[in-house]
Amino acid sequence: MKGYTRLPFASQVAALAIRPERFDPDFQNKDFMFWTRVFHFEVRYKSIDALLQDLSIKNILELSSGFSFRGLDKIINHDVHFIDTDLSAIIEEKKEMLNELLTGIPKPKGKLELLPLNALDEKAFISVVDRFAPGPVAIINEGLLLYLNEEEKRKLCRIIHSILKERGGYWITADIYLKPPANIPAFKMTDDLQPLLDQHKVNENIFESMEVAAAFFESEGFMIDQEAEPVYSQLDSYNYLIASASPEILKGMGKFPKIHATWRLKAV
């Protein structure tokens, strides 16, 4: 799905992931749910970039990055130390992809490391952070908290809070999700991704409201420094989303409740 956007390296990674088959995106697809997913992934990715861009922090740690190559994109033009982490199997596969993506790219200005990390392993987490030079760190993630239950989320909060209190910096999380209203047809997730979400009990792990989410992070010693405000019409997938929507959905779009946010958090 990300290969349908111009997110950095997304189409190249999609092609590498399905070899020897050819990645041939169908932009004539009129499946509204498909484009809803694509649109959401693009919003989520770019919302993190928006909250990163006005920070002068050179130490950036991404948790549970999946097959995103945000780190490679950042180091090409910026003198930053970017550590990209996920579980070991994913990191090993990403390293193979990285070798191919680096072909033809000019010498980067920054430094990129791909390292295995279970974000709930405090000792390993601190060991990874210690690879940075002294100074503040920006910790970023998308698509992690919705797979963690409350106890696991609180453990992650405590680890990150301790690091930010010691070093300074911010936590940018695109994982502020609310339970979607079941009475709105557009939010009934029936696509192929739904079984994965059901398996991991995602609907049980997301927040009841923005107020509940804010109170949760406040209880763990964080304050909301800033919320991303994406301009939807500027996204690659926006026109495809609109084109795939029925008249009924188009009429009700402005009435859809907010069910996602990206926050930049600061330890207090």
Side-chain angles (χ1 to χ4, degrees), residues 24 78 104 116 158 165 214 229 252 256:
D24 189 16
H78 302 280
R158 288 192 290 270
K165 285 295 286 185
E229 298 181 0
F256 289 170

Side-chain angles (χ1 to χ4, degrees), residues 2-266:
K2 292 180 182 178
Y4 280 72
T5 72
R6 287 182 290 179
L7 295 178
F9 303 104
S11 60
Q12 296 97 312
V13 170
L16 291 173
I18 66 170
R19 288 187 304 182
E21 296 181 38
R22 180 181 175 182
F23 177 60
D24 189 16
D26 177 15
F27 288 100
Q28 300 306 311
N29 186 343
K30 297 298 183 182
D31 184 342
F32 179 75
M33 182 52 62
F34 175 83
W35 286 110
T36 297
R37 295 285 195 199
V38 174
F39 180 73
H40 174 65
F41 286 139
E42 188 177 8
V43 169
R44 197 172 70 179
Y45 184 103
K46 291 188 174 181
S47 68
I48 290 179
D49 277 0
L51 294 179
L52 263 179
Q53 68 180 3
D54 63 344
L55 301 178
S56 58
I57 295 174
K58 292 191 173 185
N59 300 322
I60 306 172
L61 170 64
E62 183 161 12
L63 304 175
S64 190
S65 60
F67 290 97
S68 165
F69 279 86
R70 186 197 311 273
L72 178 58
D73 178 58
K74 294 302 178 192
I75 68 161
I76 289 175
N77 297 307
H78 302 280
D79 179 20
V80 297
H81 182 181
F82 196 109
I83 301 181
D84 179 325
T85 70
D86 208 312
L87 299 179
S88 58
I90 293 177
I91 290 298
E92 288 307 308
E93 192 168 351
K94 285 186 75 171
K95 285 181 178 178
E96 295 180 10
M97 291 180 172
L98 179 62
N99 290 332
E100 301 199 43
L101 294 176
L102 284 170
T103 303
I105 291 178
K107 184 178 179 180
K109 294 183 178 180
K111 176 183 178 181
L112 174 65
E113 292 186 273
L114 273 62
L115 298 174
L117 175 65
N118 177 343
L120 297 179
D121 184 335
E122 184 172 7
K123 183 177 179 180
F125 200 129
I126 292 172
S127 178
V128 167
V129 172
D130 285 344
R131 299 175 72 90
F132 288 125
V137 59
I139 298 172
I140 63 178
N141 75 274
E142 53 172 323
L144 172 60
L145 297 186
L146 65 168
Y147 295 107
L148 305 180
N149 60 36
E150 182 169 345
E151 181 181 351
E152 291 168 330
K153 285 199 285 284
R154 290 193 182 279
K155 181 175 183 180
L156 181 63
C157 284
R158 288 192 290 270
I159 295 171
I160 294 177
H161 186 273
S162 175
I163 290 168
L164 295 185
K165 285 295 286 185
E166 178 181 346
R167 299 184 63 116
Y170 298 87
W171 177 16
I172 301 174
T173 177
D175 289 352
I176 314 304
Y177 284 94
L178 306 186
K179 291 178 171 58
N183 62 327
I184 299 181
F187 286 108
K188 290 183 179 178
M189 304 302 187
T190 57
D191 62 354
D192 294 340
L193 195 56
Q194 191 60 40
L196 176 68
L197 303 181
D198 293 339
Q199 177 187 351
H200 290 279
K201 301 180 180 179
V202 167
N203 200 51
E204 298 176 22
N205 295 332
I206 54 184
F207 298 103
E208 293 289 345
S209 68
M210 290 295 171
E211 293 75 19
V212 168
F216 171 82
F217 288 107
E218 182 179 347
S219 72
E220 292 296 333
F222 293 96
M223 62 168 284
I224 302 171
D225 176 72
Q226 189 173 333
E227 179 173 333
E229 298 181 0
V231 180
Y232 299 132
S233 61
Q234 294 179 359
L235 302 179
D236 296 333
S237 54
Y238 177 79
N239 288 334
Y240 296 105
L241 176 70
I242 296 301
S244 68
S246 67
E248 178 189 9
I249 291 175
L250 285 174
K251 184 177 180 180
M253 271 188 169
K255 302 175 183 178
F256 289 170
K258 180 178 179 179
I259 62 170
H260 173 259
T262 298
W263 289 348
R264 188 168 71 195
L265 305 170
K266 189 171 184 178

